[in-house]
Amino acid sequence: MYKSYIVNYETGEIIKYDEHKHRILINELKCITDGLVYAANPQNMTDGNSWGNAILHNFNNGDENSGWIENALKFDGIDDGIEIEDKSDYSNGVTLEMYFSLRGQTENQLVQILMMKRKTANDGFFMFMGNDDNAYEYGRIYIDIGGNPRFGNRFDTGIVVEENKPIYITYTFNPNVENEKGILYVNAEKRKTTNLGIIDNLVTVQKETNIQIGSDIHITNGKDNRYPFNGEIYAARVYNRPLTNSEVKFNYDATKLE
């Protein structure tokens, strides 16, 4: 018999567990669900189906750096990527979460994509790491909300990811506040804020563009580059609203590897 309590994280209601009224579900995503657009959390799952409704591109059987393992999906830095159909309304903001480990550099690429949703460089959202190009320091994280990087809209987080060391990045963007619209968290600790971002340019692509993780699968900008990620992803989430500080902490505590 379970002697515990159940918490409804949407209403805050706490009730005592009753084995005659409630049932325990395994393989359930352990994260805030209000505003959740997409979540992948393979360490809480038992097989490669843990990536939900995503379309997996180019993951190769027999490649030790490509495909699902017990607690992650491995990206080979060549052509692996995930695609999620998305028609969400982002007018109230967005939260991007990535829990990952960088394996190394990729060949002949300017950047490594973590996640993106955009038709051009001037809309949607885009979170990536530099790959030792003159413009982008290797492992350094950059974030666009609403594009327009040419006009100073690109948020240089200043965070440089170390190879083979898991890091949990959360970025929230709230267009309805005057200051600190964008907040960057590293391992659930608030690290940096910005007002950069144009929500209207994100909203314009809300029903036309899929989310892509780990690669620009469809070569959005017409160049022959997919900017593939080389490493492991332990969790990836997108929300169509900004999470609160306590919600960021809850997701981190529920997700981090022991």
Side-chain angles (χ1 to χ4, degrees):
M1 172 180 284
Y2 292 90
K3 294 182 179 180
S4 58
Y5 293 86
I6 298 172
V7 180
N8 184 326
Y9 286 99
E10 295 183 357
T11 66
E13 181 184 13
I14 301 176
I15 57 176
K16 190 173 182 179
Y17 175 80
D18 184 334
E19 64 180 340
H20 300 293
K21 296 180 179 179
H22 308 116
R23 61 195 177 104
I24 301 297
L25 298 178
I26 61 173
N27 293 350
E28 197 169 10
L29 293 175
K30 298 178 180 178
C31 64
I32 301 296
T33 57
D34 181 22
L36 184 64
V37 173
Y38 175 73
N41 202 14
Q43 68 264 35
N44 292 327
M45 302 299 191
T46 57
D47 58 37
N49 294 323
S50 63
W51 289 75
N53 62 348
I55 302 169
L56 275 61
H57 291 264
N58 303 316
F59 289 91
N60 304 312
N61 293 330
D63 182 349
E64 64 178 10
N65 290 322
S66 179
W68 181 84
I69 58 175
E70 183 178 358
N71 62 5
L73 198 65
K74 303 179 78 171
F75 291 71
D76 63 8
I78 300 172
D79 57 5
D80 295 345
I82 297 175
E83 180 180 9
I84 304 99
E85 183 178 356
D86 177 31
K87 299 183 182 298
S88 302
D89 179 1
Y90 290 94
S91 56
N92 288 319
V94 65
T95 296
L96 309 177
E97 286 190 340
M98 291 287 291
Y99 185 25
F100 66 97
S101 177
L102 171 64
R103 185 182 305 116
Q105 291 178 274
T106 56
E107 186 176 355
N108 300 322
Q109 302 289 347
L110 302 178
V111 304
Q112 293 189 44
I113 289 175
L114 295 175
M115 61 171 58
M116 63 178 282
K117 174 187 171 73
R118 63 179 188 170
K119 291 187 299 182
T120 72
N122 296 319
D123 56 32
F125 63 70
F126 187 35
M127 181 161 70
F128 67 93
M129 292 181 298
N131 198 40
D132 209 18
D133 174 68
N134 290 333
Y136 306 115
E137 179 183 355
Y138 172 56
R140 193 176 180 113
I141 297 177
Y142 304 83
I143 301 171
D144 302 346
I145 301 296
N148 287 323
R150 291 175 297 173
F151 301 103
N153 192 47
R154 175 157 291 159
F155 176 37
D156 178 354
T157 69
I159 301 300
V160 179
V161 178
E162 298 180 39
E163 290 185 6
N164 303 309
K165 183 177 180 180
I167 186 170
Y168 196 116
I169 298 293
T170 307
Y171 183 71
T172 68
F173 186 81
N174 185 350
N176 301 313
V177 296
E178 185 173 350
N179 294 308
E180 296 190 341
K181 294 179 184 295
I183 303 177
L184 176 76
Y185 300 83
V186 178
N187 298 332
E189 294 184 2
K190 185 176 177 179
R191 295 287 292 272
K192 199 170 182 180
T193 65
T194 182
N195 282 326
L196 293 175
I198 303 174
I199 197 66
D200 289 347
N201 291 354
L202 172 56
V203 173
T204 56
V205 299
Q206 66 189 40
K207 296 182 179 179
E208 303 174 24
T209 308
N210 292 346
I211 296 169
Q212 298 181 75
I213 295 175
S215 175
D216 185 357
I217 298 161
H218 300 296
I219 312 179
T220 301
N221 292 325
K223 300 178 181 179
D224 190 20
N225 287 313
R226 290 186 168 84
Y227 308 112
F229 170 65
N230 183 22
E232 290 77 46
I233 293 180
Y234 309 108
R237 302 187 185 104
V238 177
Y239 292 83
N240 66 350
R241 67 174 182 88
L243 295 186
T244 65
N245 293 350
S246 60
E247 289 174 326
V248 169
K249 183 67 163 58
F250 175 87
N251 276 5
Y252 172 73
D253 288 339
T255 309
K256 64 182 178 181
L257 297 171
E258 298 298 332

